[in-house]
Amino acid sequence: MSNHGLMQRDLAVLWHPCTQMHDHETLPVIPVARASGVWLTDHDGKRYIDAISSWWVNIWGHAHPHINTALKAQLDTLEHVILAGFTHEPIVSLSEKLVALAPPGLSRCFYADNGSAAIEVALKMSMHAWRNRGETAKTRFVALSGSYHGETLGALSVTDIPLFSDTYAPLLTPQLRVPSPDWTQAPEGVTPEQFARQQFAVLEDLLKARHAEISAVIVEPLVQGAAGMKMYHPVYLQLLREACTRYGVHLIADEIAVGFGRTGSFFACEQAAITPDFLCLSKALTAGYLPMSVVLTTEDIYQTFYHRYESLKGFLHSHSFTGNPLAARAALASLELFALDPQRRQQAALAQVMTDELAGLQGHDHIRHVRQTGLMGAFDMVQTGGLPFDWRERRGLRVFEAALRNGVLLRPIGNTVYFMPPYVMSADELRHVIRTAAEAVDEACAAPAHGHDNGVSLP
Ligand SMILES: *Cc1c(COP(=O)(O)O)cnc(C)c1O
């Protein structure tokens, strides 16, 4: 089987996610035959470094021997069983481990099967918990500008990325927005911490005025991923936690992208020493092996649902694949890898390599806002002189193409180039990735605005 043959078959029957399929008139889809560690291999034998952990999920790279072994054993023991009224060892062990690792006070695990579904669960649970207490007016949610919480209708209602949400506005419930603490928007001379405090004042005013109708504030702690790796100071989370408690509003922490060691701490919330009322996890939960998500919450919230059936206070939400044993086993095996000491040290060392290598990009003509939180690194691509490129020029797509030609999988978000390496990437591989990205930026920025093949296919 060659690349070409599989591409042709793909384009006849598939509809790819987050893709304008018209792009594939000029852009090939890459058929991956197999993968190991940080390397993907296509059907013609060409290799690519997966520098984005395949949409932020494969934290241990691909085909990790420890996870593979655990999963094979689970497959022969119990592949699936209904989780309503039944239970199994992997899901109990996983829940015990998650509760032990989570910020103190989160003691209950409710499972779903993808990130967006976890957000739906948290939104419904928050509103329902208030209702169970007789607070029926608390039905609104507050999200940050540039927020991304998924693309099912509830999650999309608290997502603020017009490209994803505007079209569906008639289907969405209007929610409240406050300005993001993202420091790339701070005026000259204002520190990230000062900016976080300033931006927080707007949220404080909103809570003060409208807390009676607000169920929860939802945030992506420390990094707004899909907005383009927008980073902010942890003081924002501290102020937010205090205010939510003061005004009687839940705090939902969406750690779907940042959880499991990505930001330098196991959970991003730890860097602000806070406990949210709901913690949503998915993506890295099973290290990219199988879809699974979980919402952790407090005993206090759990108790508001705990009544006789006829009270209608129960949380009757369900997904068919909830608590799948294979996914739970993969998640447990991934957590076992964290417990190995050398692993932790290797992660910290790799973050330092990223810091050093990114420092070399400071002052580059076409690069602004070089930033990093743990093992997430990013920068924005700009025109000479610093003005942003028009999004229609799709310079990010050119970076993708140039890097791919050189064997590196990057997937810029608009004009933002980012790195989310698997934790097992070597220092040399990471240096290679970042240097290849810088060359790809040079190439993408040097191209004339509309010199691309038949004139760039627009989304
Ligand atoms: C990816 C993501 C989601 C949605 O998860 P899916 O599994 O893609 O539905 C929600 N929130 C954040 C922060 C994410 O990065």
Side-chain angles (χ1 to χ4, degrees):
M1 174 67 57
S2 70
N3 273 1
H4 186 74
L6 204 57
M7 275 178 209
Q8 296 305 104
R9 286 168 56 198
D10 172 289
L11 291 177
V13 287
L14 267 95
W15 191 340
H16 289 269
C18 203
T19 298
Q20 170 48 270
M21 290 300 289
H22 183 270
D23 280 355
H24 287 306
E25 290 193 5
T26 52
L27 196 71
V29 289
I30 309 298
V32 175
R34 57 192 168 274
S36 174
V38 301
W39 294 97
L40 308 174
T41 307
D42 73 15
H43 281 265
D44 294 341
K46 184 169 162 66
R47 301 203 310 157
Y48 310 86
I49 296 188
D50 185 352
I52 59 163
S53 301
S54 279
W55 257 348
W56 324 347
V57 299
N58 284 79
I59 50 174
W60 306 111
H62 299 268
H64 194 287
H66 181 71
I67 306 177
N68 284 12
T69 304
L71 213 42
K72 283 173 188 165
Q74 185 62 44
L75 188 59
D76 286 332
T77 314
L78 176 67
E79 86 300 341
H80 186 67
V81 65
I82 179 174
L83 196 69
F86 290 78
T87 193
H88 51 86
E89 195 278 327
I91 205 71
V92 174
S93 292
L94 177 60
S95 306
E96 288 169 350
K97 289 224 161 78
L98 290 172
V99 164
L101 288 163
L106 295 172
S107 58
R108 289 279 165 185
C109 298
F110 189 98
Y111 290 88
D113 40 28
N114 63 72
S116 305
I119 298 298
E120 302 288 339
V121 166
L123 298 176
K124 285 176 70 178
M125 233 182 220
S126 168
M127 176 270 184
H128 196 164
W130 291 121
R131 184 184 178 82
N132 283 348
R133 288 195 172 128
E135 302 238 29
T136 50
K138 290 170 87 67
T139 58
R140 300 281 218 137
F141 296 93
V142 182
L144 303 183
S145 59
S147 57
Y148 180 89
H149 298 293
E151 292 169 62
T152 52
L153 296 176
L156 199 54
S157 296
V158 288
T159 285
D160 182 43
I161 299 191
L163 186 63
F164 299 147
S165 56
D166 274 7
T167 306
Y168 308 102
L171 304 181
L172 305 180
T173 47
Q175 303 298 354
L176 305 164
R177 299 261 183 281
V178 291
S180 165
D182 153 30
W183 65 253
T184 66
Q185 295 173 37
E188 198 66 30
V190 175
T191 67
E193 178 173 354
Q194 287 165 341
F195 191 62
R197 289 180 185 276
Q198 280 174 23
Q199 298 296 77
F200 180 75
V202 181
L203 179 48
E204 167 99 38
D205 288 346
L206 179 69
L207 290 176
K208 195 171 185 177
R210 301 180 67 174
H211 60 89
E213 55 179 300
I214 296 173
S215 183
V217 177
I218 181 166
V219 293
E220 293 158 84
L222 299 185
V223 185
Q224 295 184 285
M229 304 299 158
K230 307 291 195 192
M231 301 180 184
Y232 61 88
H233 195 280
V235 74
Y236 191 89
L237 298 172
Q238 279 155 7
L239 296 170
L240 176 59
R241 176 66 274 180
E242 285 161 24
C244 284
T245 305
R246 199 159 0 105
Y247 291 111
V249 166
H250 293 144
L251 171 55
I252 303 173
D254 175 355
E255 293 220 14
I256 291 167
V258 296
F260 299 100
R262 183 53 76 179
T263 64
S265 48
F266 196 74
F267 292 120
C269 281
E270 290 168 29
Q271 294 186 40
I274 60 154
T275 298
D277 299 285
F278 299 94
L279 176 66
C280 302
L281 304 172
S282 186
K283 290 208 166 93
L285 172 60
T286 65
Y289 274 72
L290 287 157
M292 173 176 251
S293 62
V294 60
V295 178
L296 281 90
T297 191
T298 61
E299 207 58 23
D300 189 38
I301 285 168
Y302 174 76
Q303 286 300 331
T304 68
F305 292 85
Y306 195 85
H307 295 275
R308 300 175 70 89
Y309 192 85
E310 315 82 79
S311 69
L312 296 182
K313 288 185 172 180
F315 192 63
L316 303 185
H317 186 101
S318 60
H319 295 286
S320 312
F321 290 99
T322 298
N324 176 263
L326 293 168
R329 181 58 69 202
L332 279 166
S334 173
L335 292 180
E336 283 155 14
L337 291 175
F338 278 105
L340 305 176
D341 212 34
Q343 200 52 69
R344 283 290 175 107
R345 280 201 301 275
Q346 199 177 319
Q347 247 173 288
L350 195 60
Q352 186 59 49
V353 171
M354 188 183 274
T355 308
D356 296 344
E357 204 58 37
L358 288 177
L361 302 181
Q362 299 280 5
H364 185 293
D365 252 10
H366 291 290
I367 290 178
R368 292 286 183 285
H369 300 135
V370 177
R371 53 195 183 269
Q372 182 186 2
T373 303
L375 275 175
M376 305 172 99
F379 59 79
D380 301 329
M381 224 180 350
V382 293
Q383 302 182 42
T384 311
L387 286 175
F389 284 111
D390 187 320
W391 65 274
R392 290 181 202 83
E393 293 179 19
R394 306 189 72 191
R395 302 277 171 171
L397 185 63
R398 293 172 187 195
V399 171
F400 166 81
E401 289 179 287
L404 202 66
R405 237 184 292 119
N406 293 310
V408 174
L409 166 52
L410 298 171
R411 202 183 145 88
I413 301 170
N415 290 320
T416 300
V417 177
Y418 75 86
F419 310 100
M420 273 179 67
Y423 305 162
V424 294
M425 189 175 279
S426 75
D428 281 346
E429 285 163 345
L430 183 55
R431 287 188 197 104
H432 172 69
V433 161
I434 296 177
R435 286 170 198 179
T436 303
E439 287 161 20
V441 166
D442 288 336
E443 190 180 324
C445 292
H450 291 288
H452 187 260
D453 298 330
N454 53 3
V456 191
S457 34
L458 301 177

